[in-house]
Amino acid sequence: MRAYMYLYGYRNPGAARELITSLRLPANVCGDCGACAVQCVSGFPVSSRIKDVIRVREVPPEFLV
Ligand code: SF4
C-alpha cells in the first residue's frame, strides 16, 4: 500500500518500483488467493490495489522519473 501511495498519491513511479523490487515478491502476487484474508479497516480493496501497483515492476527503470 505504500507503493500504491508513491505511485498514485505522490506520482513517483520510480519510488514505487524501487520499493516493490526490494520486496522480492512472487511473480503471481495475490493470484493464488481465492478469498483475500486481508481486512483493511478503512475499506480499501487491498488485493486489487496490490495487483494494480505491482505492474510497475515490469516497467524498465529508465522509463521512470
Ligand atoms: S493481499 Fe489478499 S490476495 Fe493478496 S496475497 Fe495477501 S491475502 Fe492473498
Side-chain angles (χ1 to χ4, degrees):
M1 294 305 294
R2 182 155 35 112
Y4 192 93
M5 177 188 68
Y6 286 157
L7 184 60
Y8 292 110
Y10 299 162
R11 301 194 184 283
N12 187 339
R17 187 186 189 283
E18 184 176 326
L19 173 60
I20 289 170
T21 302
S22 75
L23 297 175
R24 300 175 190 221
L25 298 169
N28 190 18
V29 176
C30 297
D32 295 332
C33 286
C36 186
V38 176
Q39 297 293 319
C40 173
V41 295
S42 297
F44 294 124
V46 175
S47 179
S48 66
R49 288 191 175 189
I50 291 172
K51 290 177 192 171
D52 180 335
V53 74
I54 200 75
R55 298 175 301 156
V56 78
R57 73 180 170 183
E58 306 304 325
V59 180
E62 60 267 26
F63 290 168
L64 302 176
V65 291

